[in-house]
Amino acid sequence: MAAQSFTLANLKISQIDSFNNHKPSSPLHFFSTRNTWLGGDSSLSLESSISVLRTTRQRIPIAVVASLPTANPESAVSDAKKPKWSWRGIKSFAMGELEARKLKYPNTGTESLLMGILIEGTSFTSKFLRANKITLQKVRDETIKLLGKADLYFFSPEHPPLTQDAQRALDSAVNQNLKAGGIGEIMPAHILLGIWSEVESPGHKILATLGFTDEKAKELESFASESGFLDE
């Protein structure tokens, strides 16, 4: 009995040694199972897995927006003559939409466009507003005072549609550029002056409450005309 146990022990040790000394002739695999529904062996080596990842990765095209919504059909001219929005102008508009969503408002109004200019933050117009102590937080507070808080359970659309006065403010921005001969791009300064031209709009009322005046609007317009809006 003892001899039989000794023999079995020696047999197990020899099997272990044989396994340790064995060198696999094929590369290591992530998966060693065979899936019949795939029609064969689904084993993938490290090299083949990396190759699959590299060949299946696709490039995602990015569309660049060069215009914003307009309600003026007469402004739909040829691409060569169509005014172009600067990237700061487009970003200001996009940030305005986002702010309207954050406040859970159903529309993007002039107050949202104003906040979008301040959120963008790098244009001369946003710096001009901050220099006159018109900050994002103050505008946001005045917006809530004027329009109230939205329903907590209301969800804004992905792109809240423009209010009528906000649309007119954007159209005014385009018209300002056209009157100047279409020189340069449409900048945040155009948008701000368009907001100020809508006297009954929330954006105009908030600006007036925070100390913005016709004199400051003329100062901004004068500077913008002299620099051609190119410094933004």
Side-chain angles (χ1 to χ4, degrees):
M1 184 68 179
Q4 184 179 3
S5 299
F6 180 76
T7 302
L8 291 175
N10 287 341
L11 178 61
K12 291 180 180 179
I13 292 173
S14 63
Q15 288 176 342
I16 293 173
D17 290 340
S18 176
F19 177 80
N20 290 336
N21 294 329
H22 175 70
K23 293 183 179 180
S25 58
S26 59
L28 294 177
H29 293 77
F30 286 123
F31 308 100
S32 58
T33 57
R34 180 181 297 273
N35 292 333
T36 55
W37 62 275
L38 289 175
D41 194 351
S42 64
S43 301
L44 293 176
S45 67
L46 176 61
E47 292 82 0
S48 61
S49 299
I50 294 175
S51 176
V52 170
L53 290 174
R54 286 176 177 172
T55 56
T56 57
R57 185 172 60 184
Q58 298 178 351
R59 294 182 180 273
I60 300 175
I62 300 176
V64 179
V65 180
S67 62
L68 294 180
T70 178
N72 291 337
E74 62 272 13
S75 65
V77 295
S78 63
D79 290 340
K81 297 181 180 179
K82 186 181 298 182
K84 300 297 183 183
W85 288 84
S86 70
W87 69 267
R88 286 188 174 94
I90 293 173
K91 184 177 179 181
S92 296
F93 174 80
M95 292 298 99
E97 275 193 336
L98 181 60
E99 191 63 20
R101 292 185 63 195
K102 287 172 63 178
L103 293 174
K104 295 183 177 294
Y105 288 157
N107 299 94
T108 301
T110 52
E111 72 290 338
S112 297
L113 296 179
L114 176 58
M115 286 185 280
I117 293 173
L118 289 165
I119 293 172
E120 188 281 322
T122 65
S123 67
F124 169 81
T125 307
S126 64
K127 296 174 184 177
F128 181 84
L129 289 171
R130 291 196 299 271
N132 285 277
K133 299 182 179 180
I134 300 176
T135 64
L136 174 62
Q137 189 58 53
K138 288 181 180 180
V139 173
R140 187 181 286 129
D141 291 342
E142 290 298 326
T143 296
I144 294 175
K145 287 181 184 178
L146 185 63
L147 302 180
K149 289 186 177 182
D151 186 349
L152 180 63
Y153 299 102
F154 176 79
F155 291 94
S156 299
E158 183 178 359
H159 298 288
L162 291 167
T163 60
Q164 292 183 1
D165 50 15
Q167 182 65 76
R168 287 193 299 267
L170 292 181
D171 292 337
S172 175
V174 174
N175 291 334
Q176 291 173 54
N177 180 271
L178 291 175
K179 288 178 181 178
I183 301 174
E185 298 176 312
I186 305 172
M187 299 289 184
H190 292 103
I191 301 178
L192 182 65
L193 294 173
I195 294 171
W196 186 247
S197 68
E198 292 296 316
V199 180
E200 297 300 322
S201 70
H204 180 101
K205 294 177 181 178
I206 292 169
L207 283 170
T209 299
L210 297 177
F212 196 83
T213 62
D214 287 332
E215 288 71 22
K216 291 179 180 179
K218 290 178 181 178
E219 182 182 349
L220 177 63
E221 185 176 8
S222 174
F223 179 87
S225 299
E226 292 175 0
S227 61
F229 293 94
L230 298 178
D231 68 309
E232 298 201 76

